[in-house]
Amino acid sequence: MAETILPFVLRQLSTFLREEGQLLGGLRQEVQFIMDELGHIRAFLREAEEKEEDAQPRLQEWIKQVREVAYDIEDFLDEFGARFPRHPTTGFHGSVRRTFSSIKNLKARHRGASKIQSIKSRIKSISEGHQRYQSEFGISTQASNSLSAANNTTWRYSRDDALLVEEAKLVGIEQPKKHLISQLLKGDDCQLKVVSVVGMAGLGKTTLVKKVHEDPDVISHFPVRAWVTVSQTCDFQDLLKDLIRQLCKEGKKPVPQLIESMTTAELKEFIKNFLQQAGRYAIVFDDVWDVEFWNTIKFALPESSRGNRVMLTTRKADVASASCIESRGLVYKMEPLSIEDSWTLFCNKIFNGDNCPGHLMDAAKGILDKCAGLPLAIIAISGLLALKDVNRIEEWEKVRRSLGGELEGTGKLDRVKKILCLSYNDLSWQLKTCLLYTSVFPDDYKIQGVRLINLWIAERFVEWREGMNIEDIAWGYLSELVNRSIIQVTRVFYEGIPRHCQIHDLWREIIISKSREQNMVTITAGQPTRWPSEKVRRLVVHSSRSNNTQHHQQRPNYCFDCLRSFITVGSMDPPLFKMLLSEVSMSSKLLKVLDLRGQATLEKIPNEIFNLFHLNYLNLFGTRVERVPKAIGKLQHLEYLNLGNTRVRELPMEILKLQKLWFLKVFQLVDSSDDDYGFHGFKAPSNMGGLLGLEILECIDASGESTIIQEIGKLTQLRELIITKLKREDGKGLCSSLANLTNLRELTVNSVGKGDDHEILDLNHHYSSLSSSSSSSCSFLQSLHMLILLGHLEKMPKWVVHLHSLVRIDLNWSRLRGEEDPLESLQYLPNLHSINFCGSYQGEGLCFKVGGFLKLKRLHLKSMEGLRWMRVEEGALPHLQRLILEKLPLLEELPLGIQHLSHLQQLFLYEMSSQMMEKMENQKEESEGYTRIAHIPEIVLVYNTNDGKWRHRRLWAKNKKTYNLS
């Protein structure tokens, strides 16, 4: 796995020679020699690594030597930069500093020269091995070019609905689904019945059970439902708490704070009592790994006499049988897809459901035969083939030959892994590195897309390209891995941007294995005496709990001298966290990434952190840090600083020294239970405009320095901006500053206060676009994709009508009067997909006119207390898919013309008027009202009954059935 680190180091060497070569003196030629030799070695390393698993130990050892020398070169470059920082090159003071530095670091230079000579000697030996193995193993000297689109595609993240489609939308699932549903609904067994679905990874167990769990008949039959992902490394107490939270949410009850301090026995007793009172239940435990789990959890599940059901998915037959043996349950063994269903899935993925071209038929059948009916394997290989030119048979035949030679294994799992490895080998080195880095996150972890791509950037995995923003390139990497069916998106943000994603179990096994081989990431669940003896380069600590506090106080025997990253995932045990952070801060001089997200016990930034010369990424999101010391100015290489959801309210003047800073977030929600009220921001230094490299700035408090609004106008690289506590008199100045921000994509402006305390937002200013009607003058905020305004508006800003790139707009607490209908300004925006109105309009009615909102897919109207009627003209909102009406007390009828919304998939009615809810409850199939909504697949009602209890009802109009949810 040296092929991922070697290009990375070569790129660093090239940059080093270009920017720091003058410091090397006579050693420059030595470094150039090293760089040239590594270039020759790389030319055949890719093909050598593809043969590594089957190769003789000597070739495997040679590949390991390449990897280790590459790491040592990286260490040397960072150490050199720390010892010889650049000083001013002109003037008397610059001359003195250079002289003093030369004298002071004379010994360090000798050590550097010795290190280079040692590396050069090792490179010569490796190069001799390269020439020897080239002939011995028949490996070509030409680089094997990846056919990945990574090398020739303009990176961009998907903006369509492709990411919304379930990756495992499998064929051949209906029959097993019907069978399992019948088993769940059959009889009124007094005894708890367990249905276990067993099979190897990649067969689609979770997908099948999810379809069953969400079936309308199952929903109507079981008022209480929950889904718990177990996984191999779950914390049992956290699992029980998660189950309690789900059950409370189902019953619309508050989650008791006491569960945080409960013992395991108390948590199980709580669950048992809750379920006994709640009624018939169906609970899914997904990905169960051992019998002991079932033997422990079953005592929390009451049998009652209502016909309760539990479903399990597992890879292990003994777990399946043990869970069913006491309950007369069912063990359902998942089988591979039939040849017909495999072919259908294969063609759906590659040819969008069309037939396979005749000239590719033989190759396609040969490839599909090796997939052995495993959906994951079919999807993975299809993702690879979908990128091949269908007119070039040789590309498909090459894949077929590779599979033929590699899949002569004994077990299907081995063959699937080979197929996945083939997809892996087809990636560019950048994508390989980024994929291996996902091993940072635990099994079944919901990875935040933003966090992942920012870590890639901080680790220098993302290759900068002329004329492109580094963030867009990183999103492109993620999009490519999604499109290849390697990473699965579970939730999206606007424009299809992945908000959360996951790695399939099989992929994760491969990623973990390869990451371990490369010594890329060292993962622990908090067992400090079990560290590897080799040097740790990236340390990741997953959340763990231990009652043995003394054990955590022991000093672990590990080496952090070469540590590049320290990342925590989940809340750590406080003593262990304190010890590790102290050790890392003091001994890891090469540290670049420090991610302490979610460590609620951290109240102060340790002083040692400010001595980390190379640190470029500092994430303190969700900690209790209250103050940023002046010493922050010492972190000259810091690029990313996240203080979101902390107690920080002010930044010192020294923050202006961080000229490489491009990401700065400091905020806390005004109301932690409702983000409609915006954020508390931070008071910035008066010369904030000096941070010219800022691209992300959230959330700056505008109520402080009077010059801060003008300073914002100097930050011309901004792409995302959130401003809080904007005063009315500053609106004109803000519009003037915004005119300079030609790269701005996301803008949030929040006035003072919450609810009725909001100050008026006066944003109806912009000279050039309003003074002339010519299209050339309407350049104000033309790159804006998302606009969120929180506060009273006397008038809609006139420039909104010109925001042709706008995709999403939120208006919260605008209180626009009836004559200021916001729809007038928005209806003809050509790219608008999403509207969220919360307390934004005081008029009695809204009319969506024909020809308006041609691309709108989501509409959410909330807390508009004066709204009495809505009308949709035929031809309006032609692509609306989701309509949410919430807390509209005077709206007694569904929108007139709702029958015209032919693409509407979901209608949600939350806390609406009692008259509307009563009408919806009493809809008759033969009534006119029912006819108007019969085309909508899903309608959900949520409201309070007279006795103060929440009630949910889901109407599936297509099936002409109404189902009680609770």
Side-chain angles (χ1 to χ4, degrees), residues 191-224:
Q191 192 173 7
L192 175 67
K193 184 176 181 179
V194 180
V195 176
S196 291
V197 179
V198 62
M200 59 172 292
L203 277 175
K205 300 184 297 294
T206 299
T207 301
L208 171 61
V209 173
K210 188 170 185 285
K211 294 290 186 184
V212 171
H213 189 64
E214 295 177 350
D215 183 83
D217 289 333
V218 174
I219 292 172
S220 66
H221 194 76
F222 297 97
V224 179

Side-chain angles (χ1 to χ4, degrees), residues 344-354 356-357 360 364 367 378-379 381-388 390 396:
T344 300
L345 179 60
F346 185 75
C347 291
N348 284 347
K349 179 69 179 178
I350 302 176
F351 307 113
N352 295 320
D354 293 336
C356 175
L360 294 176
I367 292 168
I378 297 171
I379 289 172
I381 201 68
S382 299
L384 186 156
L385 291 170
L387 299 174
K388 309 300 182 185
V390 295
W396 283 57

Side-chain angles (χ1 to χ4, degrees), residues 126 160 177 179 218 237 278 280 293 300 375 385 393 509 568 592 594 637 662 743 745 749 754 815 825 892 896 903:
I126 290 172
D160 52 27
K177 174 186 169 184
H179 178 60
V218 174
Q237 278 199 334
R280 190 164 50 237
F293 170 82
L385 291 170
I393 303 176
E509 288 180 16
T568 63
K592 296 182 178 180
L594 184 59
H637 292 282
W662 69 271
N743 296 310
R745 296 168 60 102
V749 183
K754 172 181 175 180
R815 310 288 186 192
S825 302
E892 299 179 3
L896 299 174
H903 286 81

Side-chain angles (χ1 to χ4, degrees), residues 526-528 541 544-556 558 566 571-583 599 601-602:
Q527 301 298 327
V541 185
S544 66
R545 297 181 182 275
S546 172
N547 296 323
N548 191 350
T549 306
Q550 186 115 17
H551 172 70
H552 284 162
Q553 298 290 356
Q554 296 176 4
R555 183 183 179 88
Y558 42 68
F566 178 51
S571 183
M572 284 180 60
D573 180 83
L576 175 62
F577 172 67
K578 184 177 180 181
M579 180 191 66
L580 278 178
L581 181 58
S582 174
E583 184 73 20
Q599 302 309 317
T601 58
L602 183 64

Side-chain angles (χ1 to χ4, degrees), residues 909-912 917 921 941-945 949-953:
L909 303 173
Y910 292 123
E911 298 185 70
M912 299 294 287
M917 289 303 185
E921 288 276 8
L941 318 179
V942 182
Y943 57 100
N944 241 323
T945 57
K949 295 182 179 179
W950 284 99
R951 188 172 186 180
H952 292 229
R953 286 178 69 82

Side-chain angles (χ1 to χ4, degrees), residues 123 127 133 183 187 295 303 341 344 356 362 369 464 469 531 537 549 584 629 711 768 804 846 901 944:
I123 290 288
S127 183
Y133 299 137
Q183 291 294 320
N295 290 336
E303 294 185 359
D341 287 336
T344 300
C356 175
D362 289 342
D369 183 59
W464 180 80
N469 178 272
W531 298 84
R537 305 194 71 82
T549 306
V584 167
E711 291 295 305
S768 62
H804 292 168
L846 288 174
L901 302 178
N944 241 323

